[in-house]
């Protein structure tokens, strides 16, 4: 991965996932004519053969990512007071232990700050990269009484093999769905839907449409609409709020909040102020959704 691309990705991940010092925008980023033209002119897609290879090797590519970067790439996400309040609000009574699932946990940058704050939570954490899961388990803050990390491909492996059905209060999906092929995102959401309680919530943060990282992709990296591949073979989708709402609704969720977050980041290396766009959303599982086993 080119140094500047690495910097951009690592910067985006260094902030708190639900930080407040950002502009919340219902309409997202407005592009200039020039930017729109450049996006429009990028029409040539990566060949089908290469696309199939990328899909087949998705897990391997992320595992190699963690082999190269170990635990040094993403910074810990320290949760703000507001996020804590959101988590606390998920409790029915004050002393209730919340059960969380961090789906696509990487090396645990989201979960360890939470465990450190000791929020009276039990955290399930899964990722399809065996190396990432191993890093989570090796973290000094990891303890089986407080968390359970396991390997799982969200698009293939039934989460109920590890987590009781309808038992999770809060699921966090932080920069994970963007790494999954759009054709398989619904499967991943249906999978998490089986373990979250009816009325439980999903906290989502990921790349938003027209994020700076999307506009930086050079010709030859486009896989489809709003979908690109990085030099290391990992892929990234850029979400519009309409696409995301439809996707979650098709998997039995309804949205509570769904907004773009616009943020200016200083790229020290390039001496530029770059416009970042994230999509930050909260969904709840419809109480009437029937899981597959309740049909049987
Ligand atoms: C950008 S990282 C985010 C990690 C973590 N959520 C965080 O906030 O630090 C994306 C993670 O998603 C994982 N991932 C991608 N596709 C997955 C899938 N189908 N099933 C499970 N994990 C997946 C990758 O291995 C990677 O660790």
């Amino acid at each position: 991965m080119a140094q500047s691309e690495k910097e951009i990705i690592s910067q985006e991940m260094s902030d708190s996932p639900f930080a407040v010092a950002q502009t919340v925008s219902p309409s997202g980023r407005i592009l200039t004519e020039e930017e729109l033209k450049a996006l429009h002119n990028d029409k040539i897609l990566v060949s089908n053969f290469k696309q199939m290879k990328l899909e087949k090797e998705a897990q391997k590519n992320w595992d190699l990512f963690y082999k190269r970067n170990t635990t040094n790439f993403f910074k810990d996400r320290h949760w703000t007071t507001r996020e804590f309040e959101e988590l606390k609000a998920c409790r029915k009574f004050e002393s209730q232990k919340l059960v969380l699932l961090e789906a696509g946990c990487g090396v645990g940058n989201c979960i360890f700050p939470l465990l450190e704050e000791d929020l009276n939570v039990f955290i399930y954490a899964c990722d399809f990269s065996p190396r990432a899961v191993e890093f989570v388990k090796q973290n000094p803050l990891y303890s089986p009484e407080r968390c359970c990390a396991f390997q799982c491909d969200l698009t293939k492996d039934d989460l109920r093999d590890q987590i009781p059905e309808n038992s999770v209060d809060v699921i966090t999906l932080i920069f994970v769905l963007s790494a999954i092929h759009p054709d398989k995102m619904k499967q991943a959401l249906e999978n998490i839907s089986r373990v979250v309680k009816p009325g439980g919530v999903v906290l989502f943060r990921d790349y938003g449409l027209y994020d700076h990282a999307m506009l930086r992709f050079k010709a030859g990296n486009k896989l489809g609409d709003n979908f690109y591949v990085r030099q290391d073979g990992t892929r990234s989708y850029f979400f519009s709020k309409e696409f995301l709402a439809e996707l979650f609704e098709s998997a039995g969720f309804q949205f509570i909040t769904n907004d773009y977050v616009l943020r200016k980041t200083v790229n020290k290396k390039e001496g530029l102020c770059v416009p970042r766009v994230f999509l930050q959303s909260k969904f709840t599982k419809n109480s009437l959704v029937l899981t597959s086993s309740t049909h049987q």
Side-chain angles (χ1 to χ4, degrees), residues 12-13 58 62-63 66 74-75 77 102-110 126-129 132 152-155 173-176 179-180 207:
E12 111 219 344
M13 306 288 290
W62 271 106
D63 206 52
Y66 290 113
F74 303 128
K75 296 203 177 85
R77 303 167 196 297
E102 156 74 337
C105 60
V107 295
N109 299 90
C110 241
C126 71
D127 201 285
F128 72 173
S129 155
C152 165
D153 183 336
L154 292 166
T155 68
L173 268 182
I174 313 291
F175 293 98
V176 171
I180 293 177
Y207 298 104

PDB file of all heavy atoms in Angstrom, residues 12-13 58 62-63 66 74-75 77 102-110 126-129 132 152-155 173-176 179-180 207, ligand 1:
ATOM      1  N   GLU A  12      -8.210   7.996   9.156  1.00  0.00           N
ATOM      2  CA  GLU A  12      -9.663   7.881   9.249  1.00  0.00           C
ATOM      3  C   GLU A  12     -10.053   6.985  10.402  1.00  0.00           C
ATOM      4  O   GLU A  12     -11.090   7.133  11.008  1.00  0.00           O
ATOM      5  CB  GLU A  12     -10.220   7.322   7.951  1.00  0.00           C
ATOM      6  CG  GLU A  12     -10.776   5.946   8.061  1.00  0.00           C
ATOM      7  CD  GLU A  12     -10.454   5.119   6.869  1.00  0.00           C
ATOM      8  OE1 GLU A  12     -10.062   5.654   5.826  1.00  0.00           O
ATOM      9  OE2 GLU A  12     -10.591   3.924   6.971  1.00  0.00           O
ATOM     10  N   MET A  13      -9.177   6.028  10.694  1.00  0.00           N
ATOM     11  CA  MET A  13      -9.510   5.067  11.719  1.00  0.00           C
ATOM     12  C   MET A  13      -9.059   5.543  13.090  1.00  0.00           C
ATOM     13  O   MET A  13      -9.345   4.894  14.079  1.00  0.00           O
ATOM     14  CB  MET A  13      -8.830   3.728  11.419  1.00  0.00           C
ATOM     15  CG  MET A  13      -9.100   3.190  10.054  1.00  0.00           C
ATOM     16  SD  MET A  13     -10.763   2.594   9.891  1.00  0.00           S
ATOM     17  CE  MET A  13     -10.670   1.148  10.911  1.00  0.00           C
ATOM     18  N   ALA A  58     -10.264 -12.794  -0.171  1.00  0.00           N
ATOM     19  CA  ALA A  58     -10.528 -11.666   0.742  1.00  0.00           C
ATOM     20  C   ALA A  58      -9.950 -11.928   2.138  1.00  0.00           C
ATOM     21  O   ALA A  58      -9.279 -11.078   2.729  1.00  0.00           O
ATOM     22  CB  ALA A  58     -12.027 -11.398   0.823  1.00  0.00           C
ATOM     23  N   TRP A  62      -6.767  -9.902   4.041  1.00  0.00           N
ATOM     24  CA  TRP A  62      -6.835  -9.212   5.334  1.00  0.00           C
ATOM     25  C   TRP A  62      -5.853  -9.839   6.330  1.00  0.00           C
ATOM     26  O   TRP A  62      -5.245  -9.152   7.141  1.00  0.00           O
ATOM     27  CB  TRP A  62      -8.264  -9.231   5.891  1.00  0.00           C
ATOM     28  CG  TRP A  62      -9.048  -8.043   5.398  1.00  0.00           C
ATOM     29  CD1 TRP A  62     -10.024  -8.039   4.456  1.00  0.00           C
ATOM     30  CD2 TRP A  62      -8.885  -6.670   5.818  1.00  0.00           C
ATOM     31  NE1 TRP A  62     -10.494  -6.749   4.257  1.00  0.00           N
ATOM     32  CE2 TRP A  62      -9.807  -5.896   5.085  1.00  0.00           C
ATOM     33  CE3 TRP A  62      -8.063  -6.019   6.736  1.00  0.00           C
ATOM     34  CZ2 TRP A  62      -9.929  -4.510   5.239  1.00  0.00           C
ATOM     35  CZ3 TRP A  62      -8.172  -4.638   6.891  1.00  0.00           C
ATOM     36  CH2 TRP A  62      -9.095  -3.910   6.150  1.00  0.00           C
ATOM     37  N   ASP A  63      -5.704 -11.154   6.245  1.00  0.00           N
ATOM     38  CA  ASP A  63      -4.776 -11.809   7.164  1.00  0.00           C
ATOM     39  C   ASP A  63      -3.339 -11.339   6.897  1.00  0.00           C
ATOM     40  O   ASP A  63      -2.567 -11.090   7.828  1.00  0.00           O
ATOM     41  CB  ASP A  63      -4.905 -13.331   7.028  1.00  0.00           C
ATOM     42  CG  ASP A  63      -4.495 -14.031   8.309  1.00  0.00           C
ATOM     43  OD1 ASP A  63      -5.025 -13.656   9.380  1.00  0.00           O
ATOM     44  OD2 ASP A  63      -3.611 -14.902   8.256  1.00  0.00           O
ATOM     45  N   TYR A  66      -2.695  -8.015   8.421  1.00  0.00           N
ATOM     46  CA  TYR A  66      -2.322  -8.055   9.837  1.00  0.00           C
ATOM     47  C   TYR A  66      -0.940  -8.668  10.048  1.00  0.00           C
ATOM     48  O   TYR A  66      -0.274  -8.371  11.033  1.00  0.00           O
ATOM     49  CB  TYR A  66      -3.402  -8.782  10.661  1.00  0.00           C
ATOM     50  CG  TYR A  66      -4.668  -7.949  10.758  1.00  0.00           C
ATOM     51  CD1 TYR A  66      -5.856  -8.347  10.151  1.00  0.00           C
ATOM     52  CD2 TYR A  66      -4.659  -6.720  11.411  1.00  0.00           C
ATOM     53  CE1 TYR A  66      -7.006  -7.560  10.214  1.00  0.00           C
ATOM     54  CE2 TYR A  66      -5.794  -5.925  11.475  1.00  0.00           C
ATOM     55  CZ  TYR A  66      -6.957  -6.355  10.885  1.00  0.00           C
ATOM     56  OH  TYR A  66      -8.077  -5.558  10.942  1.00  0.00           O
ATOM     57  N   PHE A  74      -4.147   0.500  13.014  1.00  0.00           N
ATOM     58  CA  PHE A  74      -5.271   1.326  13.475  1.00  0.00           C
ATOM     59  C   PHE A  74      -5.043   1.743  14.913  1.00  0.00           C
ATOM     60  O   PHE A  74      -4.524   0.964  15.710  1.00  0.00           O
ATOM     61  CB  PHE A  74      -6.591   0.549  13.372  1.00  0.00           C
ATOM     62  CG  PHE A  74      -6.871   0.041  11.982  1.00  0.00           C
ATOM     63  CD1 PHE A  74      -7.176  -1.289  11.771  1.00  0.00           C
ATOM     64  CD2 PHE A  74      -6.835   0.896  10.890  1.00  0.00           C
ATOM     65  CE1 PHE A  74      -7.445  -1.768  10.487  1.00  0.00           C
ATOM     66  CE2 PHE A  74      -7.089   0.431   9.611  1.00  0.00           C
ATOM     67  CZ  PHE A  74      -7.398  -0.907   9.410  1.00  0.00           C
ATOM     68  N   LYS A  75      -5.446   2.948  15.218  1.00  0.00           N
ATOM     69  CA  LYS A  75      -5.287   3.413  16.605  1.00  0.00           C
ATOM     70  C   LYS A  75      -6.534   3.027  17.400  1.00  0.00           C
ATOM     71  O   LYS A  75      -7.615   2.847  16.832  1.00  0.00           O
ATOM     72  CB  LYS A  75      -5.117   4.923  16.635  1.00  0.00           C
ATOM     73  CG  LYS A  75      -3.853   5.383  15.931  1.00  0.00           C
ATOM     74  CD  LYS A  75      -3.408   6.753  16.444  1.00  0.00           C
ATOM     75  CE  LYS A  75      -2.108   7.179  15.798  1.00  0.00           C
ATOM     76  NZ  LYS A  75      -2.324   7.833  14.498  1.00  0.00           N
ATOM     77  N   ARG A  77      -9.845   3.223  19.399  1.00  0.00           N
ATOM     78  CA  ARG A  77     -10.964   4.160  19.332  1.00  0.00           C
ATOM     79  C   ARG A  77     -11.474   4.409  20.739  1.00  0.00           C
ATOM     80  O   ARG A  77     -12.092   3.536  21.327  1.00  0.00           O
ATOM     81  CB  ARG A  77     -12.110   3.552  18.551  1.00  0.00           C
ATOM     82  CG  ARG A  77     -11.724   3.157  17.214  1.00  0.00           C
ATOM     83  CD  ARG A  77     -12.784   2.284  16.610  1.00  0.00           C
ATOM     84  NE  ARG A  77     -12.185   1.647  15.479  1.00  0.00           N
ATOM     85  CZ  ARG A  77     -11.734   2.313  14.437  1.00  0.00           C
ATOM     86  NH1 ARG A  77     -11.863   3.617  14.376  1.00  0.00           N
ATOM     87  NH2 ARG A  77     -11.177   1.699  13.438  1.00  0.00           N
ATOM     88  N   GLU A 102     -18.692  -7.041  18.630  1.00  0.00           N
ATOM     89  CA  GLU A 102     -17.944  -6.206  17.673  1.00  0.00           C
ATOM     90  C   GLU A 102     -17.660  -7.116  16.480  1.00  0.00           C
ATOM     91  O   GLU A 102     -16.827  -8.030  16.532  1.00  0.00           O
ATOM     92  CB  GLU A 102     -16.685  -5.659  18.364  1.00  0.00           C
ATOM     93  CG  GLU A 102     -15.528  -5.265  17.473  1.00  0.00           C
ATOM     94  CD  GLU A 102     -15.663  -3.980  16.665  1.00  0.00           C
ATOM     95  OE1 GLU A 102     -16.798  -3.528  16.412  1.00  0.00           O
ATOM     96  OE2 GLU A 102     -14.633  -3.464  16.236  1.00  0.00           O
ATOM     97  N   ALA A 103     -18.433  -6.917  15.419  1.00  0.00           N
ATOM     98  CA  ALA A 103     -18.323  -7.783  14.239  1.00  0.00           C
ATOM     99  C   ALA A 103     -17.244  -7.218  13.312  1.00  0.00           C
ATOM    100  O   ALA A 103     -17.303  -6.057  12.922  1.00  0.00           O
ATOM    101  CB  ALA A 103     -19.670  -7.846  13.525  1.00  0.00           C
ATOM    102  N   GLY A 104     -16.256  -8.049  12.976  1.00  0.00           N
ATOM    103  CA  GLY A 104     -15.116  -7.562  12.195  1.00  0.00           C
ATOM    104  C   GLY A 104     -14.228  -6.725  13.098  1.00  0.00           C
ATOM    105  O   GLY A 104     -13.965  -5.558  12.832  1.00  0.00           O
ATOM    106  N   CYS A 105     -13.736  -7.360  14.168  1.00  0.00           N
ATOM    107  CA  CYS A 105     -13.093  -6.604  15.262  1.00  0.00           C
ATOM    108  C   CYS A 105     -11.658  -6.198  14.976  1.00  0.00           C
ATOM    109  O   CYS A 105     -11.081  -5.416  15.726  1.00  0.00           O
ATOM    110  CB  CYS A 105     -13.123  -7.447  16.532  1.00  0.00           C
ATOM    111  SG  CYS A 105     -12.244  -9.026  16.371  1.00  0.00           S
ATOM    112  N   GLY A 106     -11.042  -6.733  13.913  1.00  0.00           N
ATOM    113  CA  GLY A 106      -9.621  -6.463  13.692  1.00  0.00           C
ATOM    114  C   GLY A 106      -8.835  -6.908  14.910  1.00  0.00           C
ATOM    115  O   GLY A 106      -9.091  -7.978  15.475  1.00  0.00           O
ATOM    116  N   VAL A 107      -7.897  -6.056  15.348  1.00  0.00           N
ATOM    117  CA  VAL A 107      -7.064  -6.442  16.493  1.00  0.00           C
ATOM    118  C   VAL A 107      -7.627  -5.914  17.809  1.00  0.00           C
ATOM    119  O   VAL A 107      -6.962  -5.938  18.843  1.00  0.00           O
ATOM    120  CB  VAL A 107      -5.591  -5.997  16.292  1.00  0.00           C
ATOM    121  CG1 VAL A 107      -4.975  -6.735  15.105  1.00  0.00           C
ATOM    122  CG2 VAL A 107      -5.482  -4.486  16.082  1.00  0.00           C
ATOM    123  N   GLY A 108      -8.857  -5.398  17.758  1.00  0.00           N
ATOM    124  CA  GLY A 108      -9.556  -5.041  19.002  1.00  0.00           C
ATOM    125  C   GLY A 108      -9.483  -3.569  19.386  1.00  0.00           C
ATOM    126  O   GLY A 108      -9.694  -3.234  20.544  1.00  0.00           O
ATOM    127  N   ASN A 109      -9.205  -2.695  18.403  1.00  0.00           N
ATOM    128  CA  ASN A 109      -9.076  -1.269  18.741  1.00  0.00           C
ATOM    129  C   ASN A 109     -10.356  -0.653  19.302  1.00  0.00           C
ATOM    130  O   ASN A 109     -10.323   0.368  19.968  1.00  0.00           O
ATOM    131  CB  ASN A 109      -8.620  -0.458  17.521  1.00  0.00           C
ATOM    132  CG  ASN A 109      -7.268  -0.902  17.024  1.00  0.00           C
ATOM    133  OD1 ASN A 109      -7.165  -1.782  16.177  1.00  0.00           O
ATOM    134  ND2 ASN A 109      -6.225  -0.350  17.596  1.00  0.00           N
ATOM    135  N   CYS A 110     -11.474  -1.288  19.003  1.00  0.00           N
ATOM    136  CA  CYS A 110     -12.746  -0.780  19.509  1.00  0.00           C
ATOM    137  C   CYS A 110     -13.064  -1.346  20.889  1.00  0.00           C
ATOM    138  O   CYS A 110     -13.619  -0.662  21.730  1.00  0.00           O
ATOM    139  CB  CYS A 110     -13.849  -1.258  18.568  1.00  0.00           C
ATOM    140  SG  CYS A 110     -14.720   0.065  17.821  1.00  0.00           S
ATOM    141  N   CYS A 126     -15.466 -10.850  16.753  1.00  0.00           N
ATOM    142  CA  CYS A 126     -15.102 -11.823  15.725  1.00  0.00           C
ATOM    143  C   CYS A 126     -14.506 -11.136  14.504  1.00  0.00           C
ATOM    144  O   CYS A 126     -14.760  -9.960  14.243  1.00  0.00           O
ATOM    145  CB  CYS A 126     -16.312 -12.662  15.320  1.00  0.00           C
ATOM    146  SG  CYS A 126     -17.544 -11.760  14.388  1.00  0.00           S
ATOM    147  N   ASP A 127     -13.714 -11.889  13.805  1.00  0.00           N
ATOM    148  CA  ASP A 127     -13.100 -11.408  12.567  1.00  0.00           C
ATOM    149  C   ASP A 127     -12.770 -12.637  11.727  1.00  0.00           C
ATOM    150  O   ASP A 127     -12.579 -13.724  12.284  1.00  0.00           O
ATOM    151  CB  ASP A 127     -11.814 -10.630  12.870  1.00  0.00           C
ATOM    152  CG  ASP A 127     -11.418  -9.704  11.720  1.00  0.00           C
ATOM    153  OD1 ASP A 127     -10.923 -10.211  10.684  1.00  0.00           O
ATOM    154  OD2 ASP A 127     -11.615  -8.485  11.850  1.00  0.00           O
ATOM    155  N   PHE A 128     -12.712 -12.476  10.392  1.00  0.00           N
ATOM    156  CA  PHE A 128     -12.356 -13.666   9.608  1.00  0.00           C
ATOM    157  C   PHE A 128     -10.850 -13.855   9.474  1.00  0.00           C
ATOM    158  O   PHE A 128     -10.405 -14.875   8.957  1.00  0.00           O
ATOM    159  CB  PHE A 128     -13.124 -13.763   8.284  1.00  0.00           C
ATOM    160  CG  PHE A 128     -12.768 -12.799   7.171  1.00  0.00           C
ATOM    161  CD1 PHE A 128     -13.355 -12.965   5.909  1.00  0.00           C
ATOM    162  CD2 PHE A 128     -11.898 -11.752   7.350  1.00  0.00           C
ATOM    163  CE1 PHE A 128     -13.072 -12.107   4.874  1.00  0.00           C
ATOM    164  CE2 PHE A 128     -11.605 -10.876   6.314  1.00  0.00           C
ATOM    165  CZ  PHE A 128     -12.187 -11.064   5.075  1.00  0.00           C
ATOM    166  N   SER A 129     -10.053 -12.888   9.935  1.00  0.00           N
ATOM    167  CA  SER A 129      -8.600 -13.054   9.891  1.00  0.00           C
ATOM    168  C   SER A 129      -8.138 -13.775  11.163  1.00  0.00           C
ATOM    169  O   SER A 129      -8.263 -13.248  12.278  1.00  0.00           O
ATOM    170  CB  SER A 129      -7.917 -11.682   9.810  1.00  0.00           C
ATOM    171  OG  SER A 129      -6.602 -11.759  10.331  1.00  0.00           O
ATOM    172  N   ALA A 132      -5.743 -11.656  13.211  1.00  0.00           N
ATOM    173  CA  ALA A 132      -6.368 -10.565  13.983  1.00  0.00           C
ATOM    174  C   ALA A 132      -6.956 -11.115  15.283  1.00  0.00           C
ATOM    175  O   ALA A 132      -6.751 -10.548  16.359  1.00  0.00           O
ATOM    176  CB  ALA A 132      -7.447  -9.885  13.142  1.00  0.00           C
ATOM    177  N   CYS A 152     -14.620 -15.849  12.410  1.00  0.00           N
ATOM    178  CA  CYS A 152     -15.907 -16.058  11.749  1.00  0.00           C
ATOM    179  C   CYS A 152     -15.966 -15.208  10.494  1.00  0.00           C
ATOM    180  O   CYS A 152     -15.641 -14.013  10.521  1.00  0.00           O
ATOM    181  CB  CYS A 152     -17.022 -15.640  12.713  1.00  0.00           C
ATOM    182  SG  CYS A 152     -18.628 -15.431  11.955  1.00  0.00           S
ATOM    183  N   ASP A 153     -16.340 -15.827   9.378  1.00  0.00           N
ATOM    184  CA  ASP A 153     -16.635 -15.051   8.171  1.00  0.00           C
ATOM    185  C   ASP A 153     -18.110 -14.691   8.245  1.00  0.00           C
ATOM    186  O   ASP A 153     -18.981 -15.574   8.173  1.00  0.00           O
ATOM    187  CB  ASP A 153     -16.323 -15.890   6.929  1.00  0.00           C
ATOM    188  CG  ASP A 153     -16.545 -15.096   5.646  1.00  0.00           C
ATOM    189  OD1 ASP A 153     -17.344 -14.122   5.670  1.00  0.00           O
ATOM    190  OD2 ASP A 153     -15.930 -15.443   4.622  1.00  0.00           O
ATOM    191  N   LEU A 154     -18.374 -13.409   8.405  1.00  0.00           N
ATOM    192  CA  LEU A 154     -19.760 -12.967   8.613  1.00  0.00           C
ATOM    193  C   LEU A 154     -20.680 -13.325   7.452  1.00  0.00           C
ATOM    194  O   LEU A 154     -21.891 -13.398   7.614  1.00  0.00           O
ATOM    195  CB  LEU A 154     -19.784 -11.437   8.808  1.00  0.00           C
ATOM    196  CG  LEU A 154     -19.137 -10.924  10.087  1.00  0.00           C
ATOM    197  CD1 LEU A 154     -18.900  -9.421  10.009  1.00  0.00           C
ATOM    198  CD2 LEU A 154     -20.013 -11.261  11.295  1.00  0.00           C
ATOM    199  N   THR A 155     -20.094 -13.562   6.278  1.00  0.00           N
ATOM    200  CA  THR A 155     -20.929 -13.870   5.115  1.00  0.00           C
ATOM    201  C   THR A 155     -21.188 -15.373   4.978  1.00  0.00           C
ATOM    202  O   THR A 155     -21.964 -15.791   4.125  1.00  0.00           O
ATOM    203  CB  THR A 155     -20.274 -13.358   3.810  1.00  0.00           C
ATOM    204  OG1 THR A 155     -19.089 -14.122   3.558  1.00  0.00           O
ATOM    205  CG2 THR A 155     -19.930 -11.881   3.884  1.00  0.00           C
ATOM    206  N   LEU A 173     -20.516  -2.276  14.142  1.00  0.00           N
ATOM    207  CA  LEU A 173     -20.008  -2.578  12.803  1.00  0.00           C
ATOM    208  C   LEU A 173     -19.198  -1.359  12.363  1.00  0.00           C
ATOM    209  O   LEU A 173     -19.754  -0.390  11.836  1.00  0.00           O
ATOM    210  CB  LEU A 173     -21.174  -2.735  11.825  1.00  0.00           C
ATOM    211  CG  LEU A 173     -21.795  -4.092  11.558  1.00  0.00           C
ATOM    212  CD1 LEU A 173     -22.892  -3.965  10.518  1.00  0.00           C
ATOM    213  CD2 LEU A 173     -20.752  -5.116  11.091  1.00  0.00           C
ATOM    214  N   ILE A 174     -17.910  -1.394  12.641  1.00  0.00           N
ATOM    215  CA  ILE A 174     -17.083  -0.204  12.446  1.00  0.00           C
ATOM    216  C   ILE A 174     -16.086  -0.457  11.301  1.00  0.00           C
ATOM    217  O   ILE A 174     -15.138  -1.236  11.463  1.00  0.00           O
ATOM    218  CB  ILE A 174     -16.311   0.151  13.752  1.00  0.00           C
ATOM    219  CG1 ILE A 174     -17.242   0.115  14.975  1.00  0.00           C
ATOM    220  CG2 ILE A 174     -15.611   1.500  13.631  1.00  0.00           C
ATOM    221  CD1 ILE A 174     -18.285   1.182  15.054  1.00  0.00           C
ATOM    222  N   PHE A 175     -16.295   0.177  10.179  1.00  0.00           N
ATOM    223  CA  PHE A 175     -15.440   0.034   8.979  1.00  0.00           C
ATOM    224  C   PHE A 175     -15.287  -1.439   8.578  1.00  0.00           C
ATOM    225  O   PHE A 175     -14.188  -1.869   8.231  1.00  0.00           O
ATOM    226  CB  PHE A 175     -14.058   0.684   9.197  1.00  0.00           C
ATOM    227  CG  PHE A 175     -14.131   2.183   9.325  1.00  0.00           C
ATOM    228  CD1 PHE A 175     -14.134   2.796  10.560  1.00  0.00           C
ATOM    229  CD2 PHE A 175     -14.229   2.976   8.192  1.00  0.00           C
ATOM    230  CE1 PHE A 175     -14.227   4.172  10.670  1.00  0.00           C
ATOM    231  CE2 PHE A 175     -14.327   4.361   8.293  1.00  0.00           C
ATOM    232  CZ  PHE A 175     -14.323   4.959   9.535  1.00  0.00           C
ATOM    233  N   VAL A 176     -16.375  -2.166   8.655  1.00  0.00           N
ATOM    234  CA  VAL A 176     -16.327  -3.594   8.323  1.00  0.00           C
ATOM    235  C   VAL A 176     -17.166  -3.908   7.092  1.00  0.00           C
ATOM    236  O   VAL A 176     -16.692  -4.568   6.153  1.00  0.00           O
ATOM    237  CB  VAL A 176     -16.832  -4.441   9.513  1.00  0.00           C
ATOM    238  CG1 VAL A 176     -16.990  -5.888   9.127  1.00  0.00           C
ATOM    239  CG2 VAL A 176     -15.879  -4.303  10.670  1.00  0.00           C
ATOM    240  N   ALA A 179     -15.789  -3.561   3.695  1.00  0.00           N
ATOM    241  CA  ALA A 179     -14.781  -4.518   3.227  1.00  0.00           C
ATOM    242  C   ALA A 179     -15.430  -5.757   2.607  1.00  0.00           C
ATOM    243  O   ALA A 179     -14.748  -6.628   2.081  1.00  0.00           O
ATOM    244  CB  ALA A 179     -13.894  -4.933   4.397  1.00  0.00           C
ATOM    245  N   ILE A 180     -16.757  -5.816   2.682  1.00  0.00           N
ATOM    246  CA  ILE A 180     -17.493  -6.992   2.198  1.00  0.00           C
ATOM    247  C   ILE A 180     -18.116  -6.678   0.840  1.00  0.00           C
ATOM    248  O   ILE A 180     -18.595  -5.561   0.612  1.00  0.00           O
ATOM    249  CB  ILE A 180     -18.570  -7.379   3.248  1.00  0.00           C
ATOM    250  CG1 ILE A 180     -17.872  -7.875   4.527  1.00  0.00           C
ATOM    251  CG2 ILE A 180     -19.542  -8.424   2.710  1.00  0.00           C
ATOM    252  CD1 ILE A 180     -18.813  -8.226   5.669  1.00  0.00           C
ATOM    253  N   TYR A 207     -17.229   4.222   5.634  1.00  0.00           N
ATOM    254  CA  TYR A 207     -16.970   5.234   4.602  1.00  0.00           C
ATOM    255  C   TYR A 207     -18.270   5.729   3.984  1.00  0.00           C
ATOM    256  O   TYR A 207     -19.126   4.930   3.614  1.00  0.00           O
ATOM    257  CB  TYR A 207     -16.165   4.640   3.460  1.00  0.00           C
ATOM    258  CG  TYR A 207     -14.807   4.141   3.846  1.00  0.00           C
ATOM    259  CD1 TYR A 207     -14.574   2.785   3.987  1.00  0.00           C
ATOM    260  CD2 TYR A 207     -13.759   5.021   4.049  1.00  0.00           C
ATOM    261  CE1 TYR A 207     -13.322   2.316   4.333  1.00  0.00           C
ATOM    262  CE2 TYR A 207     -12.498   4.560   4.395  1.00  0.00           C
ATOM    263  CZ  TYR A 207     -12.292   3.211   4.532  1.00  0.00           C
ATOM    264  OH  TYR A 207     -11.060   2.748   4.870  1.00  0.00           O
TER     265      TYR A 207
HETATM  266  C1  LIG B   1     -10.939  -1.757   8.577  1.00  0.00           C
HETATM  267  S1  LIG B   1     -10.873  -3.138   9.620  1.00  0.00           S
HETATM  268  C2  LIG B   1     -11.817  -2.580  11.029  1.00  0.00           C
HETATM  269  C3  LIG B   1     -11.490  -3.287  12.294  1.00  0.00           C
HETATM  270  C4  LIG B   1     -12.236  -2.856  13.559  1.00  0.00           C
HETATM  271  N1  LIG B   1     -13.663  -2.880  13.424  1.00  0.00           N
HETATM  272  C5  LIG B   1     -11.799  -1.491  14.054  1.00  0.00           C
HETATM  273  O1  LIG B   1     -12.649  -0.634  14.133  1.00  0.00           O
HETATM  274  O2  LIG B   1     -10.626  -1.300  14.350  1.00  0.00           O
HETATM  275  C6  LIG B   1     -12.006  -4.257   8.785  1.00  0.00           C
HETATM  276  C7  LIG B   1     -12.012  -5.641   9.405  1.00  0.00           C
HETATM  277  O3  LIG B   1     -13.076  -6.406   8.828  1.00  0.00           O
HETATM  278  C8  LIG B   1     -12.655  -7.741   8.722  1.00  0.00           C
HETATM  279  N2  LIG B   1     -13.516  -8.411   7.736  1.00  0.00           N
HETATM  280  C9  LIG B   1     -13.656  -8.126   6.423  1.00  0.00           C
HETATM  281  N3  LIG B   1     -14.530  -8.967   5.846  1.00  0.00           N
HETATM  282  C10 LIG B   1     -14.990  -9.795   6.827  1.00  0.00           C
HETATM  283  C11 LIG B   1     -15.905 -10.879   6.854  1.00  0.00           C
HETATM  284  N4  LIG B   1     -16.527 -11.305   5.739  1.00  0.00           N
HETATM  285  N5  LIG B   1     -16.138 -11.509   8.026  1.00  0.00           N
HETATM  286  C12 LIG B   1     -15.493 -11.109   9.153  1.00  0.00           C
HETATM  287  N6  LIG B   1     -14.593 -10.099   9.190  1.00  0.00           N
HETATM  288  C13 LIG B   1     -14.349  -9.442   8.039  1.00  0.00           C
HETATM  289  C14 LIG B   1     -11.184  -7.624   8.316  1.00  0.00           C
HETATM  290  O4  LIG B   1     -10.421  -8.771   8.589  1.00  0.00           O
HETATM  291  C15 LIG B   1     -10.749  -6.415   9.148  1.00  0.00           C
HETATM  292  O5  LIG B   1     -10.206  -6.830  10.381  1.00  0.00           O
END
